[in-house]
Amino acid sequence: ANVFAIESFMDELAHQSGQDALTFRKRHLDDPRALAVLNTVVERSSWWHRRAEEPEGIGHGLAWARYKNTGAWCAVIARVRVDEEVRVLNLDLAVDVGMVVDLDGVINQIEGGAIQSASWTLKERVTFNREAITSDEWLSYPVMRFSEVPEVTVHVIDRPDEPSVGAGEAAQGPVAAALANAVHDALGVRVRELPLTADTLLRAVHAAESV
């Protein structure tokens, strides 16, 4: 939740100041490992540099975070399609866990975290009344289906001379923020609550129109 709020607001500051989201972040960062994951994720992407060619309704977002401020560094770029609902098309991630002990393990952890976060961000929400939780089965608590899973690409920066900090849940925060920023890019409307369901998008559009 903190990373979603922080990185959404960073994106908003970049937009309001007329700066590219990546350039804006890099201008305000002095952590070389944070800069490295940001540079790596955009430089190795097969689609990020073709953003200007995309049709209407396709949006792109960027976010980064260091897990709990002491763990792995992770940067994310997201590509989404927005019509009646949000569909995630691509998630590219770059992660720095220090010394990599098990490369496949790191990739699996980050890829799984990205998909879990996408499900949280787009669908998952606990509902309750004054007595109990009411989202107690899969119809009232939907999760992302296999058919909705995006293409996920993970780039691992190995630093064999640095302590290993592990992958943990480094992907979850920045994925949520990158998706929200991509929705803003597609709609021109800032969504400030999760999950990014159709009703959430509609409320954000109506709020923007009433200003």
Side-chain angles (χ1 to χ4, degrees):
N2 287 337
V3 176
F4 163 72
I6 292 167
E7 282 295 284
S8 293
F9 193 59
M10 286 294 288
D11 197 73
E12 188 169 356
L13 290 172
H15 181 75
Q16 289 294 327
S17 62
Q19 298 179 63
D20 173 80
L22 176 62
T23 302
F24 182 80
R25 282 168 174 78
K26 290 169 66 173
R27 286 185 61 189
H28 293 85
L29 277 172
D30 55 14
D31 180 347
R33 295 172 76 170
L35 291 166
V37 291
L38 282 166
N39 287 328
T40 297
V41 77
V42 297
E43 289 169 2
R44 298 189 186 179
S45 172
S46 63
W47 51 266
W48 181 258
H49 302 290
R50 300 198 304 268
R51 303 189 307 283
E53 305 169 14
E54 296 275 30
E56 185 177 353
I58 302 293
H60 308 83
L62 176 146
W64 87 278
R66 186 177 182 192
Y67 183 48
K68 296 186 177 180
N69 295 320
T70 59
W73 292 254
C74 185
V76 181
I77 50 177
R79 178 172 173 259
V80 306
R81 182 176 66 241
V82 183
D83 37 47
E84 291 84 6
E85 60 182 12
V86 180
R87 176 67 186 246
V88 187
L89 304 176
N90 298 85
L91 288 171
D92 285 19
L93 304 95
V95 62
D96 174 355
V97 300
M99 180 180 66
V100 176
V101 177
D102 179 352
L103 179 59
D104 283 346
V106 173
I107 293 172
N108 291 338
Q109 182 76 0
I110 296 301
E111 182 176 327
I115 295 169
Q116 181 184 45
S117 182
S119 183
W120 289 348
T121 305
L122 299 187
K123 292 178 173 290
E124 298 184 39
R125 172 172 51 196
V126 174
T127 58
F128 53 91
N129 57 28
R130 295 179 67 87
E131 286 79 36
I133 290 174
T134 56
S135 50
D136 54 3
E137 38 80 33
W138 294 122
L139 289 177
S140 56
Y141 189 86
V143 299
M144 181 174 281
R145 296 176 177 270
F146 283 113
S147 61
E148 298 170 307
V149 172
E151 180 179 339
V152 181
T153 304
V154 179
H155 306 287
V156 180
I157 301 174
D158 189 12
R159 297 191 183 274
D161 297 327
E162 296 288 347
S164 180
V165 296
E169 295 184 337
Q172 275 84 333
V175 164
L179 290 174
N181 292 337
V183 168
H184 173 263
D185 184 52
L187 285 183
V189 171
R190 187 69 59 181
V191 183
R192 305 185 189 280
E193 62 177 296
L194 297 177
L196 301 174
T197 57
D199 59 313
T200 302
L201 299 184
L202 190 60
R203 285 196 301 272
V205 170
H206 287 164
E209 290 174 346
S210 66
V211 173

